[in-house]
Amino acid sequence: MIAGNEAPQEVTVTKRQTVPTSQELNYTQTLTLSDHGKSWLRCDLMWGQVRLPGQNYIASVGYAPRRPRIFLNGHERNATVREKDQVNLRCESDGRPTPNISIYNNDNDTVIQRNSSPVIYTFIARCEDTATYTCFAWNEFSSQSGVNFVRLQLNVACKPRSVSSTNVFIFRVKDNREMLTFNVIAFPVPSGGGVWFADPVNNSTESSYVQSSDVNISCKSDRKFRYISKCTLTVFSDTSPSKTGMYKVQLINEHGAENFTIELS
C-alpha cells in the first residue's frame, strides 16, 4: 500500500510478503482539510520481482457549509427601498461540496429561489415584498439540526392603497358606536388622515368635513404582514339616519395620500 502527498513523493505504508489468509490489506489515515487534492493512496501488487501498479486515489476532503452571508443591494443589513426600485438579494456560503442555497420568504412561507451557491434573486419591489428573508445553506455534511441560515428584513415603502381593485368599503351600522375595520396596503402605517361626509350638502357638490367627535380613524400594522395596515373607522352615531351615507376617508403616510369611500347604511 503506497501513500503520498503531492506527487512524486511516496512511501510504502504497509505490505505483506507472504500469502495472506485474507485477500484484504487495510490502512488508516486521518485526513485534514489541507490534504484535499494532495494526499493520495495506491495499492500495488508484487508478483515475484514484478510490480503491478494500481490506480492512484486522491483524497477529497469535504466539510459542512460555513455560516451563509446574505446581501441586500450589496449590503449585509436590513434595508428600506421604495416601490418600483430594483432589489438584488444574494445568498452565498462556503463548503465542500458546494452548498445548496435557498432564499425563503418567512412572511409568505415560500421558497423564492433555490440553487447551488451563490444564489442571486433580482426583482422590482412592491409593497407586498416587505418581509423577512432567510438564506439557508446545506450539503451532504450538514447535520440534521445543523443547517446554517441567516436572515434580514426588507421594507418597501409605499403610500396607502386598497388591497382590492376598488377603494370602496360598504358597512351596515347597527349600534350607536360602530367600529368598522378594513385593510389597506401601506408602509409605513398611515399616521394621519381625515373623514368627509361625501353626500351632497344642501344640494351642492361639496363634501362637508365630519367633526372628530362624530367619527375617528386610526390604523395599526398587521401582526404577520407588515405591509398591511388594519384601519378602524369608529362612528359615534345616534338613532338619526343622518350618520349614514357616503364618507370619504383620506389616509396619509410619509409617501403620499389616498382617498377611500366608506358607505354606511
Side-chain angles (χ1 to χ4, degrees):
M1 192 83 75
I2 311 299
N5 190 292
E6 297 186 302
Q9 301 174 6
E10 64 179 49
V11 62
T12 300
V13 291
T14 184
K15 61 183 179 180
R16 286 202 181 101
Q17 294 180 337
T18 58
V19 178
T21 57
S22 170
Q23 299 303 309
E24 294 182 354
L25 187 62
N26 299 309
Y27 170 68
T28 300
Q29 179 181 345
T30 300
L31 300 176
T32 66
L33 290 179
S34 62
D35 291 311
H36 177 73
K38 298 178 181 179
S39 292
W40 55 270
L41 191 68
R42 185 180 76 242
C43 182
D44 292 350
L45 176 65
M46 301 301 297
W47 187 259
Q49 298 300 312
V50 179
R51 178 189 292 264
L52 303 176
Q55 179 180 351
N56 280 23
Y57 291 90
I58 302 175
S60 178
V61 184
Y63 57 95
R66 296 190 171 99
R67 180 177 174 84
R69 304 176 68 188
I70 185 169
F71 299 85
L72 203 164
N73 289 345
H75 302 285
E76 292 182 87
R77 59 174 180 264
N78 299 337
T80 298
V81 301
R82 295 189 65 120
E83 273 200 314
K84 299 183 180 179
D85 285 350
Q86 180 171 294
V87 175
N88 182 281
L89 276 173
R90 177 186 175 93
C91 182
E92 60 186 40
S93 178
D94 178 48
R96 189 181 296 129
T98 300
N100 297 307
I101 297 290
S102 65
I103 300 177
Y104 178 77
N105 183 320
N106 292 60
D107 295 26
N108 291 334
D109 193 23
T110 305
V111 175
I112 58 176
Q113 194 84 324
R114 177 180 289 159
N115 213 325
S116 58
S117 180
V119 168
I120 299 173
Y121 177 60
T122 301
F123 59 97
I124 302 301
R126 305 171 305 148
C127 212
E128 295 91 325
D129 294 316
T130 296
T132 299
Y133 293 87
T134 300
C135 169
F136 292 96
W138 74 97
N139 66 12
E140 62 187 81
F141 292 104
S142 299
S143 63
Q144 196 70 13
S145 59
V147 176
N148 279 326
F149 69 91
V150 65
R151 58 177 51 130
L152 53 71
Q153 288 186 344
L154 170 65
N155 299 320
V156 182
C158 66
K159 73 174 188 177
R161 71 168 185 264
S162 176
V163 295
S164 64
S165 58
T166 176
N167 281 7
V168 179
F169 301 92
I170 301 175
F171 298 99
R172 286 186 179 275
V173 180
K174 298 179 182 179
D175 304 315
N176 288 345
R177 184 178 185 274
E178 189 77 11
M179 299 181 66
L180 314 171
T181 302
F182 58 97
N183 293 338
V184 297
I185 295 174
F187 191 90
V189 176
S191 57
V195 182
W196 286 262
F197 192 62
D199 281 350
V201 178
N202 297 327
N203 296 322
S204 72
T205 58
E206 297 181 357
S207 300
S208 63
Y209 186 74
V210 178
Q211 296 295 325
S212 59
S213 59
D214 293 331
V215 178
N216 178 61
I217 183 76
S218 63
C219 299
K220 63 180 181 180
S221 179
D222 183 75
R223 290 184 177 181
K224 182 176 181 180
F225 301 107
R226 287 178 287 118
Y227 62 88
I228 293 291
S229 291
K230 303 182 78 67
C231 297
T232 301
L233 180 72
T234 304
V235 180
F236 301 90
S237 179
D238 52 27
T239 56
S240 169
S242 62
K243 295 294 189 283
T244 62
M246 306 291 287
Y247 290 85
K248 181 176 74 173
V249 176
Q250 186 179 71
L251 297 177
I252 304 169
N253 67 9
E254 59 193 76
H255 300 287
E258 184 63 54
N259 293 334
F260 301 86
T261 299
I262 307 293
E263 180 181 344
L264 304 183
S265 62

